[in-house]
Short mmCIF file of all heavy atoms in Angstrom, two decimals:
data_model
loop_
_atom_site.label_atom_id
_atom_site.label_comp_id
_atom_site.label_asym_id
_atom_site.label_seq_id
_atom_site.Cartn_x
_atom_site.Cartn_y
_atom_site.Cartn_z
N ARG A 28 25.36 -7.49 -22.70
CA ARG A 28 24.59 -7.18 -21.49
C ARG A 28 25.52 -6.95 -20.30
O ARG A 28 25.28 -6.06 -19.49
CB ARG A 28 23.59 -8.30 -21.20
CG ARG A 28 22.46 -8.33 -22.20
CD ARG A 28 21.57 -9.54 -21.99
NE ARG A 28 20.56 -9.59 -23.03
CZ ARG A 28 19.39 -8.99 -22.95
NH1 ARG A 28 19.10 -8.30 -21.87
NH2 ARG A 28 18.52 -9.05 -23.93
N LYS A 29 26.52 -7.79 -20.15
CA LYS A 29 27.46 -7.58 -19.05
C LYS A 29 28.22 -6.27 -19.22
O LYS A 29 28.53 -5.58 -18.23
CB LYS A 29 28.43 -8.75 -18.96
CG LYS A 29 27.77 -10.03 -18.44
CD LYS A 29 28.78 -11.14 -18.25
CE LYS A 29 28.14 -12.39 -17.64
NZ LYS A 29 29.08 -13.49 -17.47
N LEU A 30 28.51 -5.89 -20.46
CA LEU A 30 29.17 -4.61 -20.71
C LEU A 30 28.28 -3.46 -20.28
O LEU A 30 28.72 -2.49 -19.65
CB LEU A 30 29.54 -4.49 -22.19
CG LEU A 30 30.21 -3.17 -22.61
CD1 LEU A 30 31.52 -2.99 -21.87
CD2 LEU A 30 30.43 -3.15 -24.12
N HIS A 31 26.98 -3.55 -20.62
CA HIS A 31 26.02 -2.52 -20.21
C HIS A 31 25.95 -2.44 -18.69
O HIS A 31 25.89 -1.35 -18.10
CB HIS A 31 24.64 -2.82 -20.78
CG HIS A 31 24.55 -2.58 -22.24
ND1 HIS A 31 23.45 -2.96 -22.99
CD2 HIS A 31 25.42 -2.02 -23.13
CE1 HIS A 31 23.65 -2.63 -24.26
NE2 HIS A 31 24.83 -2.07 -24.36
N LEU A 32 25.93 -3.60 -18.04
CA LEU A 32 25.86 -3.64 -16.58
C LEU A 32 27.07 -2.94 -15.97
O LEU A 32 26.94 -2.09 -15.09
CB LEU A 32 25.77 -5.09 -16.12
CG LEU A 32 25.61 -5.34 -14.61
CD1 LEU A 32 24.81 -6.63 -14.41
CD2 LEU A 32 26.96 -5.50 -13.94
N CYS A 33 28.25 -3.29 -16.44
CA CYS A 33 29.46 -2.68 -15.89
C CYS A 33 29.50 -1.18 -16.18
O CYS A 33 29.90 -0.38 -15.33
CB CYS A 33 30.70 -3.35 -16.49
SG CYS A 33 30.89 -5.09 -16.00
N SER A 34 29.05 -0.78 -17.37
CA SER A 34 29.05 0.64 -17.71
C SER A 34 28.15 1.43 -16.79
O SER A 34 28.47 2.55 -16.38
CB SER A 34 28.59 0.82 -19.17
OG SER A 34 29.47 0.15 -20.05
N ALA A 35 26.99 0.86 -16.45
CA ALA A 35 26.05 1.55 -15.57
C ALA A 35 26.66 1.78 -14.20
O ALA A 35 26.53 2.87 -13.61
CB ALA A 35 24.75 0.75 -15.45
N VAL A 36 27.34 0.77 -13.67
CA VAL A 36 27.93 0.92 -12.34
C VAL A 36 29.12 1.86 -12.38
O VAL A 36 29.31 2.68 -11.48
CB VAL A 36 28.32 -0.45 -11.78
CG1 VAL A 36 29.01 -0.28 -10.44
CG2 VAL A 36 27.08 -1.31 -11.61
N VAL A 37 29.94 1.76 -13.43
CA VAL A 37 31.09 2.66 -13.53
C VAL A 37 30.63 4.12 -13.57
O VAL A 37 31.21 5.00 -12.94
CB VAL A 37 31.93 2.32 -14.78
CG1 VAL A 37 32.95 3.41 -15.06
CG2 VAL A 37 32.63 0.99 -14.59
N ALA A 38 29.54 4.38 -14.32
CA ALA A 38 29.01 5.74 -14.39
C ALA A 38 28.54 6.21 -13.02
O ALA A 38 28.78 7.35 -12.61
CB ALA A 38 27.86 5.80 -15.39
N ALA A 39 27.87 5.31 -12.28
CA ALA A 39 27.39 5.67 -10.95
C ALA A 39 28.56 5.93 -10.00
O ALA A 39 28.54 6.87 -9.20
CB ALA A 39 26.50 4.56 -10.39
N VAL A 40 29.60 5.09 -10.09
CA VAL A 40 30.78 5.28 -9.24
C VAL A 40 31.45 6.62 -9.54
O VAL A 40 31.87 7.35 -8.64
CB VAL A 40 31.77 4.12 -9.43
CG1 VAL A 40 33.07 4.41 -8.71
CG2 VAL A 40 31.16 2.83 -8.92
N ALA A 41 31.52 6.96 -10.83
CA ALA A 41 32.14 8.23 -11.20
C ALA A 41 31.38 9.40 -10.59
O ALA A 41 31.96 10.37 -10.13
CB ALA A 41 32.17 8.36 -12.72
N VAL A 42 30.04 9.30 -10.57
CA VAL A 42 29.23 10.37 -10.00
C VAL A 42 29.50 10.55 -8.52
O VAL A 42 29.68 11.65 -8.02
CB VAL A 42 27.73 10.10 -10.25
CG1 VAL A 42 26.88 11.08 -9.45
CG2 VAL A 42 27.41 10.21 -11.73
N LEU A 542 26.45 -5.64 -9.32
CA LEU A 542 27.41 -4.62 -8.93
C LEU A 542 26.63 -3.43 -8.38
O LEU A 542 25.58 -3.08 -8.92
CB LEU A 542 28.27 -4.17 -10.12
CG LEU A 542 29.14 -5.24 -10.79
CD1 LEU A 542 29.82 -4.64 -12.01
CD2 LEU A 542 30.16 -5.80 -9.83
N GLY A 543 27.14 -2.82 -7.31
CA GLY A 543 26.40 -1.72 -6.72
C GLY A 543 27.29 -0.72 -6.02
O GLY A 543 28.45 -0.98 -5.71
N VAL A 544 26.72 0.44 -5.78
CA VAL A 544 27.38 1.49 -5.02
C VAL A 544 26.36 2.12 -4.09
O VAL A 544 25.22 2.38 -4.48
CB VAL A 544 28.01 2.55 -5.95
CG1 VAL A 544 26.99 3.11 -6.93
CG2 VAL A 544 28.65 3.67 -5.15
N VAL A 557 22.92 2.74 -6.19
CA VAL A 557 22.72 2.21 -7.54
C VAL A 557 23.12 0.74 -7.56
O VAL A 557 24.13 0.36 -6.98
CB VAL A 557 23.56 2.99 -8.58
CG1 VAL A 557 23.31 2.44 -9.98
CG2 VAL A 557 23.25 4.48 -8.53
N ALA A 558 22.31 -0.07 -8.20
CA ALA A 558 22.62 -1.49 -8.39
C ALA A 558 22.37 -1.87 -9.83
O ALA A 558 21.36 -1.47 -10.42
CB ALA A 558 21.78 -2.36 -7.45
N ALA A 559 23.28 -2.61 -10.41
CA ALA A 559 23.11 -3.15 -11.76
C ALA A 559 23.27 -4.66 -11.68
O ALA A 559 24.12 -5.17 -10.95
CB ALA A 559 24.14 -2.55 -12.72
N PHE A 560 22.43 -5.38 -12.43
CA PHE A 560 22.43 -6.85 -12.30
C PHE A 560 22.26 -7.52 -13.66
O PHE A 560 21.72 -6.93 -14.61
CB PHE A 560 21.31 -7.30 -11.35
CG PHE A 560 19.92 -6.95 -11.82
CD1 PHE A 560 19.19 -7.81 -12.64
CD2 PHE A 560 19.34 -5.76 -11.44
CE1 PHE A 560 17.92 -7.48 -13.07
CE2 PHE A 560 18.06 -5.42 -11.85
CZ PHE A 560 17.35 -6.28 -12.67
N THR A 594 18.85 -8.22 -17.82
CA THR A 594 19.78 -7.18 -17.44
C THR A 594 18.99 -6.02 -16.88
O THR A 594 17.93 -5.67 -17.40
CB THR A 594 20.61 -6.70 -18.65
OG1 THR A 594 21.26 -7.81 -19.25
CG2 THR A 594 21.64 -5.67 -18.23
N GLY A 595 19.46 -5.41 -15.79
CA GLY A 595 18.70 -4.32 -15.21
C GLY A 595 19.56 -3.40 -14.37
O GLY A 595 20.67 -3.73 -13.97
N VAL A 596 19.00 -2.22 -14.11
CA VAL A 596 19.64 -1.22 -13.27
C VAL A 596 18.59 -0.63 -12.34
O VAL A 596 17.44 -0.43 -12.74
CB VAL A 596 20.29 -0.10 -14.11
CG1 VAL A 596 20.90 0.97 -13.21
CG2 VAL A 596 21.35 -0.66 -15.04
N GLU A 597 18.98 -0.35 -11.11
CA GLU A 597 18.08 0.24 -10.12
C GLU A 597 18.78 1.40 -9.42
O GLU A 597 19.96 1.30 -9.06
CB GLU A 597 17.65 -0.80 -9.09
CG GLU A 597 16.85 -1.93 -9.68
CD GLU A 597 16.89 -3.20 -8.86
OE1 GLU A 597 17.68 -3.27 -7.91
OE2 GLU A 597 16.14 -4.13 -9.19
N LEU A 598 18.05 2.49 -9.25
CA LEU A 598 18.59 3.67 -8.60
C LEU A 598 17.60 4.15 -7.54
O LEU A 598 16.40 4.23 -7.79
CB LEU A 598 18.86 4.77 -9.62
CG LEU A 598 19.42 6.11 -9.10
CD1 LEU A 598 20.32 6.74 -10.17
CD2 LEU A 598 18.31 7.10 -8.74
N TRP A 616 15.08 -0.16 -14.40
CA TRP A 616 15.07 -0.55 -15.82
C TRP A 616 15.44 -2.02 -15.90
O TRP A 616 16.33 -2.49 -15.17
CB TRP A 616 16.08 0.27 -16.62
CG TRP A 616 16.28 -0.25 -18.02
CD1 TRP A 616 15.46 -0.11 -19.10
CD2 TRP A 616 17.40 -1.04 -18.48
NE1 TRP A 616 15.98 -0.74 -20.20
CE2 TRP A 616 17.17 -1.32 -19.85
CE3 TRP A 616 18.56 -1.53 -17.86
CZ2 TRP A 616 18.07 -2.08 -20.61
CZ3 TRP A 616 19.45 -2.27 -18.63
CH2 TRP A 616 19.21 -2.53 -19.98
#
Side-chain angles (χ1 to χ4, degrees):
R28 289 173 184 272
K29 288 185 176 179
L30 178 61
H31 288 171
L32 183 150
C33 294
S34 299
V36 176
V37 169
V40 172
V42 169
L542 299 175
V544 54
V557 181
F560 62 89
T594 305
V596 178
E597 296 157 351
L598 180 148
W616 170 77

